[in-house]
Amino acid sequence: MKFLGSKTMETDRLILRAQTMTEQKRLWEILMIPEVNKYFLTVSPKIREKLKEWGKQKTFYEDDMKHANDDNVFRWSIFLKDTGECIGRISCHERREEDDNINDPNIRGVGWIIDPKFQGCGYGTEAAKAMIDFMFLECEIEQIITGAAICNPASWRIMEKLGFERQEATNMIQYTFLDELIEDYSYVMTKERYLSLNLPSRRK
Ligand SMILES: CC(C)(COP(=O)(O)OP(=O)(O)OC[C@H]1O[C@@H](n2cnc3c(N)ncnc32)[C@H](O)[C@@H]1OP(=O)(O)O)[C@@H](O)C(=O)NCCC(=O)NCCS
């Protein structure tokens, strides 16, 4: 694959930019909304309480932002073109972060959050399409393996609309902020499949 980093991308209504410290507090506030973090995997539940204190998180994000422009980091803040407001975050991380058995940066996972005030307007789909285009067409990754809680259709609808293949087997997932295990659909997209779908580009 080509390590091109979090290149700025423009869609009809959005700008996706490498992250900076400026919007981290806003994004953390969005992530702390229960309806946003419920089916979103961040850290082990053992340390979930630490996520709730901005004082502790600020230091983590300050360190993290030192690498925001590294060529192996694929994580963007999502801004509305019209107002410049930051409404979410999207990433394409190495799948090994979720699965120890995978040791190949060409195989990746995805993550997305949109501020509930702006959900249901198609922004999640628009950002996801732009990122997935970039990852397959420019970075030339081989595969994305991902999942979403069955009870979280807003997320798996994006995967289905973009042509990801739902696998037969489901997985039980321990989400960060929930005590019980949640049943997830699992989805796969390969480079060959993505190219064969020939979806219209969302990027400008
Ligand atoms: C998942 C998420 C990023 C989707 O963002 P969004 O901007 O609302 O997405 P879109 O507007 O593009 O909608 C995507 C699809 O989900 C559907 N959808 C949106 N909200 C929904 C809801 N509450 N219930 C059911 N379907 C919903 C939309 O109708 C659309 O499908 P359609 O085109 O077939 O109608 C957003 O809901 C979110 O941040 N959720 C919390 C974090 C999360 O769960 N992340 C994913 C972890 S795997």
Side-chain angles (χ1 to χ4, degrees), residues 36 39 112-114 119-122 124-125 147 152-155 157 161:
V36 173
Y39 305 121
W112 35 62
I113 57 169
I114 296 284
Q119 287 179 12
C121 304
T125 307
N152 188 15
S155 188
R157 280 291 306 140
K161 284 196 291 181

Side-chain angles (χ1 to χ4, degrees), residues 72-202:
N72 63 349
V73 171
F74 299 92
R75 194 167 59 226
W76 293 261
S77 295
I78 305 171
F79 299 88
L80 289 180
K81 262 199 214 171
D82 276 1
T83 61
E85 192 170 351
C86 179
I87 63 160
R89 185 180 84 187
I90 189 160
S91 63
C92 192
H93 49 270
E94 289 194 32
R95 180 66 188 169
R96 86 176 111 206
E97 290 177 22
E98 291 160 78
D99 184 345
D100 294 341
N101 298 316
I102 295 178
N103 191 14
D104 180 353
N106 274 295
I107 304 176
R108 307 194 72 92
V110 291
W112 35 62
I113 57 169
I114 296 284
D115 182 341
K117 277 189 289 181
F118 297 96
Q119 287 179 12
C121 304
Y123 293 131
T125 307
E126 197 166 316
K129 175 70 171 64
M131 178 181 79
I132 288 162
D133 258 9
F134 173 68
M135 295 309 298
F136 279 119
L137 305 182
E138 291 188 48
C139 301
E140 299 175 6
I141 60 165
E142 289 299 330
Q143 199 175 149
I144 293 174
I145 303 175
T146 187
I150 295 176
C151 52
N152 188 15
S155 188
W156 56 254
R157 280 291 306 140
I158 296 180
M159 295 157 196
E160 300 217 338
K161 284 196 291 181
L162 297 186
F164 281 70
E165 253 182 324
R166 188 196 289 176
Q167 308 299 290
E168 245 172 64
T170 58
N171 298 314
M172 297 307 290
I173 300 292
Q174 175 70 70
Y175 280 99
T176 303
F177 283 100
L178 297 179
D179 294 325
E180 68 279 18
L181 295 180
I182 299 290
E183 190 173 13
D184 259 34
Y185 286 140
S186 171
Y187 287 90
V188 175
M189 175 73 86
T190 59
K191 181 161 57 179
E192 290 67 34
R193 181 174 169 84
Y194 194 70
L195 293 176
S196 76
L197 291 172
N198 208 9
L199 299 169
S201 177
R202 284 290 180 102

Side-chain angles (χ1 to χ4, degrees), residues 19-92:
Q19 300 208 288
T20 68
M21 197 58 205
T22 313
E23 70 277 10
Q24 292 313 309
K25 176 122 193 264
R26 179 75 205 110
L27 287 170
W28 171 81
E29 284 166 354
I30 296 172
L31 193 59
M32 286 305 104
I33 300 170
E35 66 182 287
V36 173
N37 64 43
K38 198 156 51 159
Y39 305 121
F40 192 78
L41 200 56
T42 45
V43 294
S44 151
K46 280 184 234 149
I47 54 170
R48 67 186 173 200
E49 290 310 312
K50 284 192 184 163
L51 290 184
K52 295 181 181 166
E53 285 177 56
W54 173 245
K56 290 193 178 127
Q57 288 306 296
K58 187 167 177 263
T59 318
F60 165 80
Y61 286 115
E62 278 165 351
D63 259 11
D64 199 33
M65 286 308 106
K66 291 179 190 154
H67 300 285
N69 290 294
D70 290 2
D71 59 10
N72 63 349
V73 171
F74 299 92
R75 194 167 59 226
W76 293 261
S77 295
I78 305 171
F79 299 88
L80 289 180
K81 262 199 214 171
D82 276 1
T83 61
E85 192 170 351
C86 179
I87 63 160
R89 185 180 84 187
I90 189 160
S91 63
C92 192

